[in-house]
Amino acid sequence: MSEVAKAVEAMKAKFNPSAAAGLDLIFGFNITDEDKHYALIVKDGTCDLQEGENADANCTLVMDSETLKGIVSGDTDGMQAFMGGKLRVEGDMMLSMKLSELFPA
C-alpha cells in the first residue's frame, strides 16, 4: 500500500459517524504528484473508501502527497494549506469545511 493510500486509510479511521448522520456526499481526492485519485463516500453515518476518480464527487481536494499526509497527521492545517496554495478545492467549497467535523484530528 502506498503512503498516500495509508494516509487516506488513516483519515477514514478518524471518521465521526455521528457528524455524518443524514448526509450523502462524495469527497474526491486528486493527489497530483502520484496521479492518484480516491473518493470518500459518506452516507447516513457510514464512510467507504474507493480508489479511482469518482465523477459524482460533490467536492474534490487537489494536493500533493506531502500535503495530504501532513493534513491527515495533523502536522499541516488544511486552511493554511489552502491559503498557501498547496490545496485547491473543486466543486462545493463549503463542503470542504465539513471535513474537519467528519474526520476530526
Side-chain angles (χ1 to χ4, degrees):
M1 184 181 288
S2 75
E3 290 296 310
V4 170
K6 286 179 189 169
V8 177
E9 280 289 340
M11 187 174 173
K12 184 183 172 196
K14 295 177 180 184
F15 180 63
N16 175 8
S18 62
L23 294 181
D24 187 1
L25 301 170
I26 300 171
F27 293 97
F29 294 85
N30 176 354
I31 311 306
T32 54
D33 59 328
E34 294 195 8
D35 198 27
K36 296 267 187 199
H37 295 268
Y38 297 91
L40 284 171
I41 300 161
V42 176
K43 186 169 181 150
D44 293 328
T46 65
C47 176
D48 287 315
L49 175 62
Q50 190 179 70
E51 259 194 75
E53 196 167 357
N54 188 314
D56 296 326
N58 303 90
C59 170
T60 300
L61 289 88
V62 182
M63 69 193 100
D64 65 19
S65 58
E66 284 304 310
T67 302
L68 174 68
K69 289 186 276 187
I71 290 171
V72 171
S73 71
D75 293 340
T76 302
D77 179 73
M79 184 56 76
Q80 286 180 339
F82 177 77
M83 299 303 263
K86 293 183 175 189
L87 167 65
R88 192 172 82 238
V89 179
E90 296 174 350
D92 190 337
M93 188 174 293
M94 294 311 291
L95 285 180
S96 65
M97 303 296 187
K98 198 123 183 84
L99 285 167
S100 62
E101 290 172 42
L102 293 168
F103 304 95

